[in-house]
Amino acid sequence: MKKENFVECERKGLEKLINFRLPSYFYKIGLIIAGMSIIMMFVRAFALEGNHEILKEVLRKVLLIGMLFMSVARDKDEDEMIVKLRMQSYTYAFVAGSIYALVMPFVEYGVSNALKAEGESFHDIGDFQLLLFMLMVQLLCFHTLKRMR
């Protein structure tokens, strides 16, 4: 395989990945999934007796899947400007998520040691917390940027 053919094949594959979008109705599906997950989290917390850690983890993952559907769904009036705004919102989410992941453990450690006399050990934030934060930032930034255009 010639070098030009290889480079062209790689470029096409990368463009497919970058331009990947679900159909626009997946936004509503994602909204329903995320909403039902949040409702079930409240039901689990207040109405169900006992320790349901597996249900808690499943609901967390389902919430992330719903928000991911919302994030990747195509807009009804998808054009170049919408694609640019979407990429800009992913950039904001990545930068904000990186800062959040770096700063938040120190903030939690400082606050917990200031409020509790016995103190608390240092620990990193979890994957759910970081992904939830990044998806929320992306969705909020995208809709704000769309409204401002």
Side-chain angles (χ1 to χ4, degrees):
M1 180 181 271
K2 291 184 178 180
K3 181 180 175 184
E4 292 83 21
N5 291 343
F6 180 74
V7 170
E8 185 66 25
C9 182
E10 289 295 315
R11 186 185 62 77
K12 285 181 182 178
L14 189 59
E15 281 182 7
K16 273 186 179 179
L17 183 65
I18 289 172
N19 295 326
F20 173 75
R21 297 282 177 270
L22 293 172
S24 63
Y25 59 85
F26 270 88
Y27 185 84
K28 290 180 183 176
I29 292 172
L31 191 61
I32 290 169
I33 290 172
M36 293 300 292
S37 178
I38 291 171
I39 290 169
M40 286 303 297
M41 285 179 178
F42 280 111
V43 168
R44 186 199 66 83
F46 296 116
L48 296 179
E49 296 293 326
N51 189 1
H52 299 284
E53 288 300 315
I54 293 175
L55 180 61
K56 177 181 174 182
E57 288 301 315
V58 168
L59 290 172
R60 284 178 161 192
K61 303 299 182 202
V62 169
L63 174 62
L64 290 176
I65 289 169
M67 291 180 73
L68 185 62
F69 280 179
M70 292 167 60
S71 175
V72 181
R74 188 177 299 276
D75 216 37
K76 287 183 180 174
D77 55 336
E78 189 93 10
D79 59 359
E80 292 84 17
M81 182 63 142
I82 295 293
V83 171
K84 183 178 186 275
L85 295 177
R86 187 184 308 276
M87 290 302 129
Q88 193 174 5
S89 69
Y90 281 125
T91 303
Y92 291 158
F94 178 77
V95 170
S98 298
I99 292 169
Y100 182 77
L102 292 171
V103 172
M104 199 60 192
F106 294 107
V107 171
E108 286 180 4
Y109 179 73
V111 169
S112 68
N113 285 333
L115 296 178
K116 296 178 184 175
E118 66 273 2
E120 191 174 307
S121 64
F122 183 82
H123 57 85
D124 280 332
I125 62 173
D127 57 345
F128 170 76
Q129 190 175 354
L130 181 61
L131 288 172
L132 180 70
F133 179 78
M134 288 176 72
L135 283 168
M136 286 173 43
V137 168
Q138 189 275 325
L139 289 168
L140 290 172
C141 284
F142 178 62
H143 289 288
T144 303
L145 289 169
K146 232 173 54 172
R147 198 173 43 230
M148 289 179 9
R149 69 178 168 132

